[in-house]
Amino acid sequence: MKSLLPSRVFLTLAGVLTLALLTPVAAQPPKKTIKVGFAQTGAESAWRTANTVSMKSEAEKRGIDLKFSDAQGKQENQIRAVRSFITQGVDVIVIAPIVETGWDPVLREAKRAKIPVILTDRTIQTADESLFACFIGSDFYEEGRLAADWLAKFSGGKGNIVELQGTAGSAPANERRKAFGDAVAKYPGLKIIDSQSGDFRRSGGKEVMEAFIKKHGKAINIVYSHNDDMALGAVQAIEEAGLKPGKDITIVAIDAIKEAIEAVAAGKINCTVECSPLFGPKVYDTVAKLLAGQTVPKKAYNKDEVFDAKNAAAALPSRQY
Ligand code: AHR
């Protein structure tokens, strides 16, 4: 059978192929794998687990060699991890600082080794902001303010509040406490009658709430919890005391994890202010920019939403954490 293509086409194709085979290809240097050390606080809450997943999965997607360290809630473990990242010669160090103070010496070591440091999630207190390249996280003060404003409207500016604080000395506990206190002070009918740390843990929230109920009984009208896990622990304590969370006691919390939004939709928690843990993409975009010598904003904040009975159920199907 006669070919439908003219013989000229075959000749041209053959010529192109021969040319391609004979042209020397410039050798590409092998692409360098970026090494990032991430000093995580621990695994105290569902929020933290979602944060770890975001950091690990995004590193994997981008082919980044992530050295991950879980400090189990201890600053000394985090500092040790940062020192080991320096010794391993990582390209960038990322820290979610457990507490706000005590970072300058190890940050100076990283600076001497010319390794940029990104602070993520939590800020630090330092007189020398040149010790870190940038901060990526949420505005904890704003979250506390949003929680207090929501409560003032919902309660009509009246009620006795017990506060479940996060980890002592941490930026979210300090800022959420201060903002809430500042806002509530404008309403003479709202009173914080007790405040204790539950360390951002569900078990801590439950234990502290049990103690509050024992001490104050029915005088408690409102729980303000620095995170959802402690609020969910408080829900258990309230139910075990024969009371109805969300009805007998108003609960306002922070994080907006899926389980808390479900509790809002079920009427057991009244409000949760979002604090997104999904930093992976932003952090590694920043790593790439820093390594390319580009300037990045010193502080970049997420925009967070408020969830209550009006919007919780609608938010559930697309909730990522
Ligand atoms: O730093 C963010 C806080 O840490 C979250 O609100 C809390 O759930 C977490 O453990």
Side-chain angles (χ1 to χ4, degrees), residues 17-28:
L17 277 175
T18 321
L19 206 67
L21 288 173
L22 293 178
T23 312
V25 179
Q28 296 289 319

Side-chain angles (χ1 to χ4, degrees), residues 146-158 180 183-184 187 190 222:
L146 287 170
D149 282 0
W150 181 91
L151 178 67
K153 275 194 206 118
F154 185 79
S155 65
K158 270 190 236 124
F180 189 83
V184 153
Y187 302 89
L190 281 175
I222 297 155

Side-chain angles (χ1 to χ4, degrees), residues 207-223:
E207 272 161 37
V208 174
M209 192 63 208
E210 283 165 355
F212 283 159
I213 293 173
K214 216 182 239 171
K215 189 165 159 199
H216 305 285
K218 295 216 163 134
I220 302 170
N221 310 116
I222 297 155
V223 173

